[in-house]
Amino acid sequence: MSIAQFYAGKEILITGGSGFIGKVLIEKILRSLPNVGKVYILLRSKKGKNASQRLEEILQIPLFRHAREEQPEAFKKLIAIDGDCQELGLGISSLDMVKIRNVNIIFHVAATVRFDDDMKTSIILNTRGTHEILKLALNLTKLKSFVHVSTTYSHPDLREVDERMYAPYVDWRTAIKIAETYDQETLNMLLPKFSPEHPNSYTLSKNMAEHIVEEYSHKLPAVIFRPSIVVSSFREPFPGWIDNFNGPVGLFVACGIGIMRTNHADPDIKLDLIPVDMVAKALLVTGYKHAKENEKVIKLGGELEVYNCCASSQKRLTMADIINLGKATVFENPYEKCIWLPEGSVTRCFFWHYLRFFGLQVLPAILLDCLIRLSGHPPVLMRLQRRIKSTAHILNVFSNTEWQFNNDKLKSLENLIGDDERSVFTFMDYCSADMTKYMWNSSKGAKEFLLKESPISSTAARVRVRIYWVIHYTIQYIGLYYIVKNLLRLLYKIIVE
């Protein structure tokens, strides 16, 4: 039975449908599984809009353009469920509980993915929220597969992470009780002592969520799915889709604009990047495999299946590779908002980084903000520098540490894809892709979807960045000339005297 045939008539519940992965997963279902049954999207009311209004708003973004053209009828199968993963019982009404009673597959994607979120929010949403959705799943008698989306960084103290469970760092029940009892400030103070192995509340809360899933795996057909660093789409629904500045994307855009010149990082570490559309495809194949296995008789107990959704050793770029590709790409297709030449590099030397940070970022930002203020506009560059500094600090552990994530189980899922569906559901083809082309498409996506610019640069932007190039290197060579000249003069005086 093919994947499309299996999903025909199946009912799916997705949490986190407004997030980066969730939106791409919904789009893939609509476009590639048009005969699916009802697809329920759990969304919380926000800014005066209920779940249905928010879903309709989400479906209007460019991501769904191809799906709307190819499978317009499939959109009728989407049903918004008003709920909130931060609430006990998920805040789902009894009427909506009746609606979802026949759900066959759950994709639990909802999470706060911000590394700088406070401890309380992370535990309530990522840890307790997982507990609440698992308790709800116990009442779904037709459930065949519960796919929990975690992260490969849920065990940051391990330099090699296999597709299996490890011993818990913290008791999840205790953590939830503490989060429910104490205020945000107290919890943030407790984090370093609570679990010193974790650099932030995100990795800790996701790790505890895994152990809740493990405990419930004896009652539910559950699996754990761990993506690595999720980045712009590789191919579907079109190359370069991105909708957030989280993680390395924000730093990449800051470099492209010309306001970030340095970062404290190891240029030789290899980053494990995985495009969001590859994640969505792998999720659907994972759901297919385990739901199919449990279709007649649900198999409970035994070892919990874990999949590391990553490129692993097959295709990984070093930090220096990414920077060099990024600079070359942005130079050829510059941002309209570019205010200086996209240049700079990373360094292992903390002192050298901060010397460059203050000399090449902070001082120019102060000077330009003064000019902006004199022109009658509010200053912005120092505010951006504070954000860049904060983001770089949050990512420091990940910019200076290399992990090896093994993914043999994930790769074996590709064997389940038939030849007639390989072009639709294969997800490891990114590993053999032309990375120069991928970076080009990612840059275009950042321009179009994040900076709201045309994906192809205007002539004015191209001319401007080349003028910046001339000025930049002229200043550098003149500076170098005077430094060498003065050093030689000093050396001459020392020798003569």
Side-chain angles (χ1 to χ4, degrees), residues 120-186:
K120 190 178 186 74
T121 300
S122 295
I123 293 177
I124 293 297
L125 179 51
N126 295 352
T127 308
R128 193 181 75 176
T130 299
H131 188 212
E132 293 304 309
I133 188 72
L134 284 164
K135 289 193 294 183
L136 178 147
L138 290 174
N139 298 316
L140 304 178
T141 57
K142 296 186 179 181
L143 185 70
K144 305 300 180 184
S145 181
F146 181 101
V147 183
H148 170 71
V149 178
S150 184
T151 173
T152 52
Y153 297 96
S154 57
H155 301 84
D157 59 319
L158 303 176
R159 294 297 172 263
E160 183 173 358
V161 180
D162 290 317
E163 293 171 295
R164 67 179 182 88
M165 293 298 296
Y166 294 89
Y169 301 94
V170 178
D171 177 67
W172 61 268
R173 288 184 177 84
T174 302
I176 291 175
K177 186 66 176 176
I178 290 173
E180 292 174 335
T181 304
Y182 294 98
D183 59 59
Q184 178 178 311
E185 187 177 346
T186 304

Side-chain angles (χ1 to χ4, degrees), residues 2-22:
S2 71
I3 295 173
Q5 288 173 337
F6 176 81
Y7 273 103
K10 295 291 189 298
E11 295 195 5
I12 300 172
L13 171 63
I14 298 173
T15 69
S18 62
F20 185 37
I21 295 175

Side-chain angles (χ1 to χ4, degrees), residues 307-439:
Y307 298 94
N308 290 339
C309 183
C310 54
S312 190
S313 58
Q314 285 186 269
K315 185 73 173 184
R316 297 204 297 175
L317 297 174
T318 65
M319 184 78 74
D321 292 334
I322 292 172
I323 290 169
N324 292 332
L325 278 173
K327 288 193 293 188
T329 300
V330 176
F331 185 77
E332 291 300 320
N333 190 36
Y335 300 153
E336 303 295 327
K337 297 178 176 65
C338 181
I339 63 172
W340 194 247
L341 181 69
E343 193 50 72
S345 62
V346 298
T347 176
R348 297 182 185 90
C349 178
F350 194 76
F351 175 76
W352 180 232
H353 159 63
Y354 268 94
L355 191 65
R356 294 195 302 182
F357 175 71
F358 284 106
L360 301 177
Q361 291 182 208
V362 175
L363 291 179
I366 293 172
L367 177 62
L368 290 173
D369 268 350
C370 289
L371 295 175
I372 291 170
R373 189 184 292 274
L374 289 172
S375 68
H377 295 90
V380 294
L381 291 174
M382 273 307 296
R383 177 167 53 84
L384 290 175
Q385 287 300 328
R386 283 191 289 270
R387 289 182 62 183
I388 290 170
K389 175 70 170 59
S390 175
T391 302
H393 176 72
I394 292 164
L395 296 175
N396 186 259
V397 172
F398 304 93
S399 302
N400 288 280
T401 309
E402 184 173 335
W403 286 269
Q404 171 63 37
F405 304 122
N406 299 320
N407 66 345
D408 290 337
K409 288 183 183 178
L410 180 88
K411 289 187 287 187
S412 70
L413 291 177
E414 288 228 312
N415 298 328
L416 302 175
I417 306 171
D419 292 339
D420 57 333
E421 290 189 316
R422 193 154 291 277
S423 62
V424 181
F425 292 107
T426 189
F427 50 85
M428 294 303 293
D429 51 340
Y430 157 76
C431 296
S432 58
D434 179 349
M435 294 312 295
T436 301
K437 184 177 180 181
Y438 175 73
M439 289 296 290

Side-chain angles (χ1 to χ4, degrees), residues 188-203:
N188 289 340
M189 291 171 60
L190 285 173
L191 175 59
K193 298 177 181 179
F194 203 51
S195 186
E197 301 88 352
H198 288 266
N200 52 55
S201 60
Y202 170 73
T203 62

Side-chain angles (χ1 to χ4, degrees), residues 474-489:
T474 299
I475 293 171
Q476 274 200 354
Y477 288 129
I478 290 174
L480 182 62
Y481 167 76
Y482 279 105
I483 290 171
V484 172
K485 180 181 176 180
N486 287 309
L487 283 174
L488 290 174
R489 183 178 294 172

